Amino acid sequence: MRKIVSLLTVLMLFCASVYAQTRTVTGKVVDEKGVPIPFATVTVKGTKNGTSADASGNFSLDVKGGNTLVVSSTGFQTKEIGIQGQSQVNVQLAGSANLIDEVIVTAGGIKARRKEIGTANSVVKAESLTAGKAVNVAGGLQGKVAGLQINATGGGVNPSFRVILRGQRSLTGNNQALLVLDNVIVPNEVLGNLNPDDVEEVVVLNGAGAAALYGSQASNGAIIVTTKKGKRGVTSVGLSQTTTVESVAFFPKIQKQFGAGGSGYGVDVNAKPTFSYLENQSYGPAFDGTMQPLGPPLEDGTQDSALYQYNDGHFKFWEKGLTQQSDVNFSSGDDNSTFYMSGQYVGVTGTTPGDKYNRAAFRLNGTRKVGEKVNITYTAGYTQNRYDITTQTGSMYANMLNMPSNGDITRYQNWRTDPFANPIGYYNPWYQNPYFTADNYRSNQRNDYLLGNIEIRFMPIKGLDLVARQGITTRNLSNKNTVAEFKFTDYAKHTDASSKSDISGSVSDGSSFRTQLISDLFAQYNTKISDFTLSLIAGGQWTNQSAKDVGVSANGLVVPDLFNVRNGVGTPGASEANYKARQVGAYGDLRIGYKGYLYLHGTGRNDWVSILAPENRSFFYPSVDLSLIATDAIATLKESNTISYLKLRGGWSKVGQVNLRGTYGAYQLLPTFSSTAYGFPYGSLAGYTVDNSLVSNNLKPEITKGYEAGFDLNLFKDRFTSNFTYFDTKTDDQTVSTRVSSTTGFTSLTTNTGQTQSRGIEATAHVTPIRNRDWSFTIGGNYTYLDNKVNSISTDLPKLSLATYGTDGPGSYAVANQVFPVIMGFDYQRDPQGHVIVDAISGLPTKSDTISILGNATPKHRLGIDGLLKFKNLSFSFLFDYRGGYQVYNSMGPELDWSGTGYRTAVYNRQRFVFPNSVYWDGSKYVANTDITVKNGNGNNGFWSDGINRDITSNYVTSGDFWKLREISLAYDFPASILSKTKVIKGARISVQARNLFMWMAKDNYYTDPEYSDAGSDSNGIGLTGIGQTPPSRYYGATVSVKF
Amino acid sequence: MKIRLQQYIKYFIPLLVLGACKRNMTDLNHNPKVATTVQGEMLFTNAEKAFADVMTTPNVNTGIFELISQYWAETTYPQESQYDLGNRDIPLNWWNVLYRDVIQDFNQSINLMRQQQTDPTLLPEQKVAYTNKIAIAKVFRAYAFSALVNTFGDIPYTEALQGRENTTPKYDDQKTVYYALLDTIDAAIQEMDPSGTGFGNADLIYGDPDLHLTGEQQISKWIKFANSIKLKLGMIIADSDPSKAASIVEAAAPNVFTSNEDNALLPYTTTPPNVNPIWTNLVQSGRNDFVAANTIVDTMNARNDPRREFFFTDAAGSGKFIGGVYGAGNAFKNFSHPSDKVEAADFPAILMDYAEVELLLAEGAARGMNVGGTAEEHYNKGVTASIEFWGGTAADAAAYLAMPVNKYSAANWKKSIGVQAWINYYTRGFDAWVEQRRLDYPQLKAPPAAVTAYPVRYTYPSTEENLNPNYAEAATAIGGDEVTTKLFWDKF
């Protein structure tokens, strides 16, 4: 990395010295009202010489061999200015006819003016995307687009994100938005392996409109990412450095009054529970500040001890993370070609002790014009990331929670040298030292991504483009998981209630690749016939996917800490799997425009997929949409001073998506036999078992049909902009793997059944109340209302488990006629009025026999509020994100209550209490309970650690509502007037920014970030959080960037 | 311009004609790395192993019969000893393994071997071998089905194992199923041809290379094993249908095991993965969940039983055998543990042994059936065989039988035989549970903290209630889906 930087510095100095001999022109680019236009392109006409203005519109250009500047910027008309002898020039650009005439990249890489598009779309520009300096592009998009829900589903050094547009359609299949990078479909994980600084813009197509050109995966909407290209006549080098600190933003709420022990050890003369020097559960007596022993004496007679008082080690356990992000880019261009290259290195240490991650990314993009008729575009990105993390985040967290706060947790960090921290001498016989857990169970993972595409556009005659495009995405990964051997002394194994037992070493090694090749070939023909414009596209797409996974493992190592499978005891485990899938699509796309204000657009596509049976392999799907620019079509509106723009739009589409399990859904149709379930081979003897999955012999794609309608409305010369969309889609023929009675010989049956529905509103509005020479202020937001539900599953399957804790246990379920998904779990037995029924003697409630619906897991309301305030060269932006109207099951709750650190466990001061809002049966009726207290108000043999508390899911189902200050940033751009004196530096910016700086959660949520998903980012079983996710973090840091 | 455009289109369109791709696509969707066809023998081998594993495993999610039969007590988490079946879905896991892994594979193995037998290139002796193999698989399948009946009562039988042809099989009456199984075993025994061969090494029990049996000798062993199963299953209905039981037992008796040499043992190896599930769950897991239960230890102590040292360790080096309190939590270090012998990675799964057969014959004689010999003779042979099998000597056995408490009591033969069967069934908790319910000795009591009475059956798996609409009818038919509902043969 360092080498490249110095190389570029040399290159930059060389360039500078060439231009230094000529005169310098400085100036400012402003709009009709004098408001600066940021980042306008300024070139000297007829030369390769140029620059771009800074964020405040200031530019400084060394002019040589020409006297005319060409100034251009998106949304404005290009202007040429003569500069005879001038060294200072201010340029005023007239707005384009309308901002909405802006050209964006839509499906298939086809550029379209936004006004022509009849379906909802949003554009996020580079500046907005990187305002918070998120390492992951998904993080940078959070809260910015109506209809787009991005959840960071876990913590850690490289959090995973789940990206959903317009709710979930498929019950058990893929619901994540299609990701398209430079016109080529790429897997979602690429979002986290892309340098956000390489992104020029992100276009979000909320509906299924892109499906004709991208194929059925776009039924989930599409996120179209375009990376930067060099600009004609502008050569620049950019360097930037960002340092970000990560710290835990929210801790589970814990009780601070009681330490180790519990009523299981009996009670003292005052009926207080007894202290235990061994106990992991914090159900002992109230803290009294005395010195108390911890654990049994060690073999050498020494004994650990601590003051019996509250200690905030549970919070100090998590460390401050640090992210260093270094960027360099170079871009250049002339009349025939452009060139962009960049490099980025990100180094991360996380909040979990010892966890590390780094990512290096390189990109090379370019265009080349060959003669008048051929344009070539190429992009190539290479990213490698490296993880060095613990595999046991959940156990580590649980072990940490099971340390009563009378011990100072951070004191146990040096387990290799400190005898009390060492597992042998560690005081607790049942739970490991969490620092040891983190250190002893490790995973190293390496991922290398190569993303590239080449496009040749041949324009043989006017109006006709022939385009051939080849894209490749390939990922190579290898990982190694290790468990170090640990041997306990006999003394440690057999002293007191020890359950310490030797940990045998193990190692597993895996390696895989995933390669996707996509070829596109299409023709586009544009023509104009009197008042009509016609644009016709016809083409085909070939997709080839292949993958291979190989894994080996050994349990038990001959030489400790030699992590080589060859060093294993016994027969090593080994596995291999290969996958291949192919898809061919043929499509047509026709757009007819009338007088520039009415556009009718229709698409059709037929797919053939290898993963379905021949008779179901081919399926067709059409779409149609209409766009009317009322402000152009209707004379009275055209004249209006209030309404500057009004577009009415609507569309209908049908898309089929094949959702089969496994990699690419390949090989799911044929029954197979497996050999490993019962340990085969036995010596050299083969044994096979019939696989447990049945597949319907008539599997079909899932079909999503839906419509959307809306409008875009701008007022007061675009000082107010807004758009509104209503959508309603239904998805039929859900591919569902239902469970079947094992008496069939199988346990699951994959078949098409059921319907989901997603409908809602997406609205965006922004207003710019102030815009003048020095000041501008824009504020606005986006709002999404989502009604996502399951209409039916099948007659004999009223509910379908998506992600559960235990078979048929609490979890996230799809249930007919309910929100998709709902949280189900155990509740207390209740009387018809909903009061909890308690026993008339013990005061104890009872658990419900079956699970019931306890909440809906999909936020009904989402709101993003963003603002941008600019004063001269200072700009300040913020983004708030709200979600509401949903619940979440916090599965860490039972662990917190088990350990006795849970806040709930001390709300009655560990005394007997009357179960709130309860009734008891007096023999003939239910009577309100005012005086029957639960028989043991403590834990460790009392109420709180008992199943009657912990097994009741509803105790831990809380509101998921939150507000987050998602991003806040303050940036200063050095004015061109200062920079021009350096002759070298064209732009410089310093900024401070923060992400997720504050979060405000529902009062009853004592646990963690409801954005998390314990089921992972690929599961539709949302609404569950757990102990596998570290506490949510805030990120804050500073950036210096310089442009030469 | 028009003409030129058409030319371009003419060249372009053929690229979109995609029919040619279709053939490739079908080939593409065949998984190259998993087996899509196998030999029936391979399924048999797997089913045999799966059956041995599930009958032997003390995993708290699947096999808690060592607890129910009060051989072991638990340490920290005594829930299973207290008959909490639901928390870990124990009935479901037991049911699933038997239907999905054992019976399904036996069934498919029979179907495949029937097809393989029609191969015209087979030699006559190969055809005979297939007849033998199919008969063996049928006996085994019936034996596995009997475990389901003896656990649950009514079960899906005639409509079971039909895959997507019938995803909600109806339940059949337990007695009807049971009698059909007896008929199947009878018929299969008739089909076995001792002059032919069978599975060879693909049979892990008698094909074990260490036994050095010829193919024909293996079939002879299998005929004995099949008859021993017939004897055992026939005896189970002795209370509910004495005359049918007598005819089955009397027919089987002359052809059953005659020494420990005949025992049906499935060997395990010293290194994973084909190891004794007791080792997996007690040693490899690193867990200290089980200690010897006071119920059996006290019984054996009272009888000065020489098998104690083969069953258990002494308690904390005291030289004494002390059991933890059954159904309560126990400190691991204070009590006797399962012995190194049964915890050994290569301690075999015992599917049936000679001692058990002799005790069954003793019972037959006690019940007045014509099994040859007296009840006491069979009893003494059974106890001796058991002591010798576990590691004792003939002298140990003689001394043991000389103690009054260990002598056969004709007046209380159910107790004499029941207690000895129970001791002999150590590590085979399921078999012990069946015999205990039948003979009502030893009298195992539910612990004070038990969530139900002593279970005389398992409740149906929770999934049956959710997935099979025939569940409700079956629950009613047996008299309620409770652990206290007695099975058809459980008359006392």
Side-chain angles (χ1 to χ4, degrees):
Chain A
M1 186 65 218
R2 183 164 291 169
K3 262 198 177 139
I4 289 171
V5 175
S6 58
L7 184 73
L8 284 170
T9 314
V10 171
L11 190 67
M12 175 264 304
L13 288 174
F14 172 74
C15 296
S17 64
V18 170
Y19 294 130
Q21 299 167 1
T22 62
R23 71 197 169 97
T24 304
V25 175
T26 59
K28 186 165 186 146
V29 186
V30 295
D31 70 6
E32 290 151 306
K33 298 188 186 70
V35 177
I37 300 170
F39 309 121
T41 302
V42 184
T43 56
V44 181
K45 193 176 181 184
T47 71
K48 296 172 186 176
N49 185 13
T51 187
S52 56
D54 66 11
S56 308
N58 297 309
F59 69 90
S60 170
L61 181 63
D62 299 314
V63 177
K64 189 181 95 172
N67 285 318
T68 306
L69 293 184
V70 181
V71 184
S72 62
S73 181
T74 308
F76 294 89
Q77 293 169 13
T78 301
K79 192 169 179 177
E80 297 187 3
I81 300 168
I83 44 157
Q84 278 79 4
Q86 287 166 273
S87 64
Q88 172 72 30
V89 58
N90 284 339
V91 187
Q92 198 166 41
L93 295 186
S96 300
N98 205 306
L99 276 174
I100 318 298
D101 261 353
E102 183 186 357
V103 172
I104 61 170
V105 176
T106 69
I110 309 298
K111 291 195 168 97
R113 285 178 295 171
R114 293 187 80 179
K115 72 174 185 182
E116 299 173 354
I117 301 169
T119 52
N121 62 75
S122 313
V123 180
V124 178
K125 293 284 185 191
E127 193 186 7
S128 164
L129 183 73
T130 57
K133 296 289 174 200
V135 172
N136 188 315
V137 173
L141 285 170
Q142 273 185 315
K144 289 174 187 166
V145 177
L148 175 63
Q149 184 180 348
I150 299 184
N151 276 27
T153 53
V157 286
N158 183 28
S160 297
F161 288 87
R162 179 167 172 82
V163 181
I164 300 290
L165 279 162
R166 292 188 175 167
Q168 306 196 113
R169 278 155 297 278
S170 179
L171 287 174
T172 54
N174 175 34
N175 281 310
Q176 292 211 68
L178 177 71
L179 179 63
V180 177
L181 177 66
D182 293 322
N183 307 324
V184 176
I185 297 169
V186 294
N188 283 69
E189 69 219 37
V190 167
L191 220 42
N193 288 287
L194 193 61
N195 176 355
D197 282 313
D198 283 346
V199 176
E200 174 80 32
E201 67 172 19
V202 177
V203 175
V204 178
L205 302 177
N206 295 36
L213 295 177
Y214 284 129
S216 52
Q217 295 169 71
S219 60
N220 295 325
I223 296 192
I224 299 175
V225 177
T226 307
T227 56
K228 288 174 179 165
K229 307 282 186 301
K231 283 181 187 159
R232 189 167 62 89
V234 182
T235 299
S236 74
V237 174
L239 295 173
S240 83
Q241 174 66 33
T242 302
T243 299
T244 304
V245 176
E246 176 187 1
S247 68
V248 171
F250 184 92
F251 296 99
K253 202 165 174 182
I254 65 173
Q255 61 84 11
K256 301 176 178 177
Q257 308 162 58
F258 302 96
S263 26
Y265 298 91
V267 291
D268 67 9
V269 288
N270 301 316
K272 298 288 181 209
T274 307
F275 169 78
S276 161
Y277 60 104
L278 291 177
E279 190 48 61
N280 54 292
Q281 292 183 312
S282 299
Y283 287 104
F287 288 128
D288 58 11
T290 56
M291 184 62 82
Q292 294 289 354
L294 277 176
L298 308 192
E299 209 164 357
D300 66 4
T302 58
Q303 189 174 22
D304 196 6
S305 63
L307 289 174
Y308 194 65
Q309 65 185 22
Y310 173 70
N311 198 315
D312 58 358
H314 286 103
F315 306 134
K316 290 183 179 162
F317 176 79
W318 305 103
E319 299 184 337
K320 272 203 166 41
L322 190 66
T323 300
Q324 295 284 3
Q325 198 173 325
S326 313
D327 276 283
V328 55
N329 62 64
F330 171 79
S331 98
S332 173
D334 59 25
D335 287 342
N336 286 325
S337 61
T338 66
F339 182 75
Y340 171 87
M341 69 181 227
S342 73
Q344 184 191 47
Y345 181 84
V346 180
V348 180
T349 58
T351 53
T352 298
D355 278 11
K356 291 194 282 284
Y357 169 79
N358 69 61
R359 186 182 79 192
F362 302 92
R363 174 160 289 279
L364 201 62
N365 289 353
T367 61
R368 172 85 189 158
K369 228 161 126 179
V370 182
E372 289 302 308
K373 295 194 168 173
V374 177
N375 273 344
I376 295 170
T377 307
Y378 56 92
T379 70
Y382 172 76
T383 302
Q384 61 170 43
N385 69 44
R386 304 288 181 257
Y387 291 83
D388 177 3
I389 57 176
T390 180
T391 55
Q392 297 295 320
T393 303
S395 304
M396 174 197 73
Y397 201 167
N399 289 340
M400 193 270 279
L401 289 176
N402 277 288
M403 295 181 77
S405 46
N406 49 296
D408 176 3
I409 293 175
T410 54
R411 229 188 66 203
Y412 296 89
Q413 187 151 16
N414 301 318
W415 62 267
R416 287 185 178 86
T417 51
D418 181 345
F420 295 129
N422 189 279
I424 290 172
Y426 181 66
Y427 73 91
N428 191 286
W430 305 291
Y431 286 77
Q432 278 178 0
N433 176 353
Y435 290 105
F436 170 76
T437 310
D439 282 349
N440 206 52
Y441 303 85
R442 302 299 299 176
S443 171
N444 277 283
Q445 197 186 113
R446 359 179 343 129
N447 289 285
D448 294 349
Y449 290 87
L450 180 67
L451 317 158
N453 93 75
I454 297 169
E455 178 188 295
I456 300 172
R457 181 177 292 265
F458 175 44
M459 297 156 286
I461 51 172
K462 188 176 176 332
L464 179 67
D465 288 16
L466 298 179
V467 180
R469 190 187 293 141
Q470 179 63 50
I472 181 170
T473 307
T474 183
R475 172 189 183 192
N476 279 285
L477 78 94
S478 63
N479 70 293
K480 186 179 200 91
N481 289 1
T482 57
V483 178
E485 176 181 289
F486 193 89
K487 291 237 187 289
F488 288 87
T489 58
D490 276 350
Y491 180 85
K493 281 188 214 173
H494 300 297
T495 302
D496 250 336
S498 177
S499 73
K500 292 176 180 176
S501 62
D502 293 345
I503 298 166
S504 69
S506 70
V507 57
S508 67
D509 261 281
S511 93
S512 313
F513 75 81
R514 299 272 179 283
T515 296
Q516 176 167 285
L517 292 169
I518 298 185
S519 315
D520 271 292
L521 199 57
F522 65 88
Q524 182 176 18
Y525 180 65
N526 295 309
T527 189
K528 196 169 192 304
I529 305 164
S530 69
D531 284 342
F532 292 91
T533 55
L534 197 73
S535 173
L536 175 67
I537 298 166
Q541 185 181 59
W542 291 256
T543 307
N544 259 300
Q545 294 168 308
S546 54
K548 180 186 180 90
D549 302 316
V550 177
V552 291
S553 62
N555 278 318
L557 299 176
V558 177
V559 179
D561 297 346
L562 177 59
F563 297 112
N564 183 339
V565 173
R566 188 73 186 80
N567 180 42
V569 177
T571 313
S575 65
E576 179 189 352
N578 289 5
Y579 305 94
K580 271 190 166 59
R582 188 174 297 163
Q583 185 182 326
V584 179
Y587 55 82
D589 179 307
L590 176 67
R591 194 187 299 275
I592 302 169
Y594 175 68
K595 285 191 170 175
Y597 60 72
L598 182 65
Y599 297 90
L600 175 66
H601 177 225
T603 69
R605 177 173 174 127
N606 201 88
D607 276 347
W608 292 264
V609 296
S610 68
I611 59 174
L612 289 183
E615 55 275 21
N616 293 326
R617 161 175 303 161
S618 163
F619 51 99
F620 176 79
Y621 43 96
S623 82
V624 61
D625 61 79
L626 188 69
S627 163
L628 170 70
I629 316 300
T631 35
D632 289 347
I634 302 165
T636 50
L637 284 175
K638 205 168 186 172
E639 306 301 314
S640 167
N641 279 330
T642 317
I643 299 175
S644 48
Y645 180 74
L646 174 64
K647 176 169 106 172
L648 304 173
R649 53 187 158 75
W652 174 90
S653 68
K654 170 189 168 183
V655 192
Q657 188 186 12
V658 187
N659 263 324
L660 300 184
R661 285 177 307 170
T663 305
Y664 311 137
Y667 319 141
Q668 294 295 315
L669 304 184
L670 288 175
T672 56
F673 300 89
S674 62
S675 64
T676 50
Y678 285 90
F680 285 94
Y682 188 111
S684 59
L685 185 59
Y688 278 91
T689 183
V690 182
D691 262 7
N692 303 327
S693 310
L694 277 173
V695 179
S696 151
N697 47 13
N698 189 30
L699 275 189
K700 294 173 293 191
E702 298 178 356
I703 301 292
T704 301
K705 286 182 203 164
Y707 68 88
E708 64 168 82
F711 61 82
D712 298 351
L713 173 67
N714 294 2
L715 304 175
F716 314 116
K717 302 196 169 166
D718 299 344
R719 292 282 276 260
F720 173 84
T721 61
S722 70
N723 58 60
F724 177 92
T725 307
Y726 174 79
F727 63 88
D728 189 347
T729 67
K730 289 194 174 99
T731 306
D732 287 294
D733 290 336
Q734 296 282 336
T735 309
V736 171
S737 178
T738 66
R739 286 188 298 156
V740 291
S741 165
S742 58
T743 59
T744 59
F746 299 86
T747 43
S748 73
L749 168 67
T750 304
T751 186
N752 292 107
T753 180
Q755 185 191 63
T756 62
Q757 184 171 17
S758 178
R759 60 185 171 183
I761 291 165
E762 293 155 352
T764 307
H766 283 91
V767 59
T768 307
I770 303 164
R771 184 158 70 190
N772 59 38
R773 266 189 95 82
D774 290 339
W775 288 91
S776 88
F777 179 54
T778 302
I779 187 162
N782 64 76
Y783 169 75
T784 308
Y785 171 80
L786 181 64
D787 177 11
N788 200 180
K789 62 186 184 188
V790 179
N791 287 344
S792 64
I793 304 178
S794 75
T795 45
D796 53 350
L797 187 71
K799 67 173 193 279
L800 182 69
S801 64
L802 303 175
T804 62
Y805 299 97
T807 315
D808 290 327
S812 184
Y813 285 82
V815 181
N817 298 313
Q818 297 289 335
V819 171
F820 176 35
V822 286
I823 296 161
M824 294 187 78
F826 294 101
D827 192 11
Y828 289 116
Q829 304 259 17
R830 293 176 189 271
D831 74 359
Q833 284 75 46
H835 305 107
V836 173
I837 303 167
V838 298
D839 184 85
I841 313 278
S842 70
L844 286 172
T846 43
K847 183 170 121 174
S848 61
D849 294 331
T850 55
I851 58 171
S852 56
I853 294 171
L854 301 172
N856 62 301
T858 296
K860 272 198 165 56
H861 307 280
R862 304 201 304 272
L863 183 64
I865 293 177
D866 58 278
L868 175 63
L869 176 67
K870 285 188 171 179
F871 172 67
K872 291 189 174 165
N873 288 352
L874 267 179
S875 58
F876 170 74
S877 69
F878 64 83
L879 172 66
F880 286 95
D881 195 357
Y882 166 79
R883 289 184 198 164
Y886 72 113
Q887 285 78 33
V888 59
Y889 170 57
N890 299 282
S891 70
M892 74 176 338
E895 187 68 39
L896 273 164
D897 287 1
W898 167 258
S899 72
T901 43
Y903 177 77
R904 292 179 69 247
T905 65
V907 290
Y908 298 104
N909 282 315
R910 304 278 169 89
Q911 303 295 314
R912 295 181 64 161
F913 62 96
V914 176
F915 197 93
N917 205 15
S918 62
V919 294
Y920 63 90
W921 184 252
D922 74 350
S924 58
K925 61 183 183 304
Y926 288 112
V927 180
N929 173 25
T930 55
D931 54 353
I932 306 166
T933 55
V934 303
K935 66 179 178 187
N936 184 339
N938 198 25
N940 187 288
N941 256 10
F943 177 83
W944 295 103
S945 58
D946 192 80
I948 199 56
N949 175 45
R950 292 187 303 115
D951 294 348
I952 310 301
T953 318
S954 55
N955 282 336
Y956 310 102
V957 173
T958 67
S959 163
D961 296 6
F962 69 76
W963 275 101
K964 283 186 183 181
L965 176 52
R966 195 62 93 174
E967 287 183 356
I968 183 163
S969 126
L970 179 66
Y972 177 74
D973 287 286
F974 288 91
S977 54
I978 296 173
L979 297 177
S980 63
K981 288 174 191 153
T982 68
K983 302 283 184 194
V984 184
I985 301 171
K986 290 181 193 155
R989 164 181 269 224
I990 53 172
S991 64
V992 288
Q993 63 274 325
R995 290 179 47 241
N996 296 340
L997 192 56
F998 295 107
M999 51 195 293
W1000 298 269
M1001 309 204 309
K1003 274 212 179 71
D1004 59 345
N1005 183 354
Y1006 303 147
Y1007 306 101
T1008 191
D1009 190 344
E1011 215 181 290
Y1012 283 169
S1013 176
D1014 211 11
S1017 55
D1018 292 330
S1019 169
N1020 300 337
I1022 56 172
L1024 313 172
T1025 69
I1027 208 159
Q1029 298 104 43
T1030 54
S1033 292
R1034 59 168 58 101
Y1035 302 85
Y1036 44 95
T1039 302
V1040 179
S1041 56
V1042 188
K1043 202 170 168 189
F1044 302 98
Chain B
M1 191 203 96
K2 279 267 161 63
I3 293 163
R4 291 191 64 190
L5 175 64
Q6 278 167 3
Q7 277 174 346
Y8 282 115
I9 291 173
K10 206 165 83 188
Y11 291 118
F12 203 77
I13 292 297
L15 295 168
L16 306 178
V17 178
L18 305 154
C21 300
K22 286 189 183 174
R23 219 176 310 118
N24 293 341
M25 280 189 162
T26 307
D27 297 340
L28 203 65
N29 208 29
H30 285 197
N31 194 334
K33 295 294 168 190
V34 303
T36 47
T37 56
V38 294
Q39 295 287 303
E41 289 88 337
M42 296 172 178
L43 293 176
F44 172 85
T45 313
N46 185 75
E48 191 177 51
K49 174 88 185 325
F51 184 73
D53 282 358
V54 77
M55 294 307 275
T56 311
T57 185
N59 185 298
V60 288
N61 298 304
T62 318
I64 61 162
F65 299 113
E66 298 300 306
L67 299 170
I68 287 179
S69 297
Q70 305 197 4
Y71 293 134
W72 295 349
E74 287 174 294
T75 54
T76 316
Y77 308 103
Q79 285 85 345
E80 292 78 34
S81 309
Q82 297 162 359
Y83 314 138
D84 180 354
L85 302 178
N87 194 35
R88 294 180 178 275
D89 275 324
I90 292 160
L92 171 65
N93 296 321
W94 174 247
W95 171 279
N96 276 355
V97 172
L98 286 172
Y99 266 113
R100 180 194 64 198
D101 299 347
V102 178
I103 297 173
Q104 160 84 339
D105 284 356
F106 278 135
N107 209 42
Q108 293 293 338
S109 119
I110 292 166
N111 294 344
L112 283 173
M113 290 191 294
R114 278 187 180 138
Q115 286 170 25
Q116 287 160 222
Q117 197 178 21
T118 62
D119 180 350
T121 65
L122 289 182
L123 300 171
E125 57 264 37
Q126 286 175 310
K127 292 213 179 209
V128 173
Y130 268 115
T131 303
N132 279 335
K133 291 183 210 179
I134 292 165
I136 289 168
K138 280 185 193 168
V139 170
F140 229 140
R141 180 180 61 182
Y143 193 38
F145 259 123
S146 79
L148 281 167
V149 175
N150 291 339
T151 308
F152 296 99
D154 288 11
I155 56 163
Y157 179 71
T158 53
E159 291 185 1
L161 308 173
Q162 294 175 3
R164 64 185 170 215
E165 306 306 318
N166 187 349
T167 55
T168 55
K170 76 170 172 61
Y171 284 65
D172 295 295
D173 170 64
Q174 48 183 320
K175 185 173 160 187
T176 313
V177 175
Y178 199 86
Y179 285 19
L181 298 175
L182 291 168
D183 291 346
T184 303
I185 292 168
D186 249 351
I189 290 172
Q190 299 306 318
E191 286 160 21
M192 290 187 197
D193 180 348
S195 69
T197 62
F199 281 104
N201 286 354
D203 167 25
L204 289 163
I205 300 171
Y206 295 117
D208 177 8
D210 292 345
L211 297 179
H212 306 294
L213 297 174
T214 65
E216 291 78 6
Q217 286 170 326
Q218 289 172 25
I219 297 301
S220 299
K221 293 280 187 193
W222 263 104
I223 290 171
K224 284 185 175 182
F225 184 18
N227 275 291
S228 302
I229 291 173
K230 181 177 165 181
L231 171 76
K232 178 173 177 172
L233 298 191
M235 191 64 78
I236 285 175
I237 56 170
D239 285 337
S240 61
D241 193 343
S243 62
K244 185 172 175 74
S247 72
I248 292 169
V249 168
E250 288 170 7
N255 306 308
V256 295
F257 289 166
T258 52
S259 78
N260 275 330
E261 299 287 297
D262 294 335
N263 291 352
L265 307 178
L266 190 134
Y268 287 116
T269 57
T270 51
T271 53
N274 291 295
V275 287
N276 170 18
I278 300 174
W279 179 84
T280 312
N281 284 279
L282 271 58
V283 181
Q284 188 188 34
S285 70
R287 296 192 60 85
N288 295 330
D289 288 329
F290 305 107
V291 296
N294 56 353
T295 325
I296 186 148
V297 173
D298 293 352
T299 304
M300 293 177 84
N301 282 342
R303 291 163 179 258
N304 199 21
D305 199 305
R307 286 166 287 192
R308 280 174 300 179
E309 61 174 298
F310 307 114
F311 286 10
F312 303 113
T313 64
D314 61 343
S318 65
K320 290 180 186 158
F321 296 94
I322 306 172
V325 179
Y326 180 78
N330 294 288
F332 183 77
K333 63 177 180 178
N334 294 343
F335 299 102
S336 293
H337 308 143
S339 66
D340 291 349
K341 181 184 177 84
V342 302
E343 282 191 359
D346 59 350
F347 181 73
I350 308 163
L351 297 176
M352 186 166 269
D353 66 10
Y354 170 58
E356 148 184 29
V357 165
E358 282 295 346
L359 291 168
L360 285 165
L361 292 173
E363 180 179 348
R367 286 179 186 271
M369 297 175 187
N370 181 16
V371 293
T374 66
E376 185 166 6
E377 284 165 16
H378 287 299
Y379 172 88
N380 289 344
K381 279 188 195 170
V383 172
T384 306
S386 177
I387 290 170
E388 287 180 346
F389 172 79
W390 279 101
T393 61
D396 291 340
Y400 180 73
L401 285 167
M403 285 175 67
V405 68
N406 296 329
K407 281 193 193 310
Y408 175 73
S409 157
N412 201 350
W413 59 266
K414 280 194 174 183
K415 181 174 180 184
S416 287
I417 296 171
V419 171
Q420 283 306 325
W422 178 51
I423 296 172
N424 182 56
Y425 279 132
Y426 182 57
T427 74
R428 298 165 63 191
F430 176 74
D431 288 318
W433 185 47
V434 173
E435 293 295 89
Q436 195 280 334
R437 283 178 287 164
R438 214 166 55 71
L439 293 169
D440 300 305
Y441 282 99
Q443 291 172 327
L444 300 178
K445 293 189 183 68
V451 295
T452 64
Y454 181 82
V456 294
R457 69 177 281 275
Y458 270 4
T459 49
Y460 288 119
S462 55
T463 50
E464 280 301 296
E465 198 173 342
N466 294 329
L467 302 174
N468 193 341
N470 300 308
Y471 160 82
E473 202 182 315
T476 312
I478 60 167
D481 184 15
E482 304 294 339
V483 295
T484 48
T485 306
K486 285 190 170 186
L487 300 186
F488 77 99
W489 47 256
D490 189 1
K491 291 294 173 191
F492 302 107

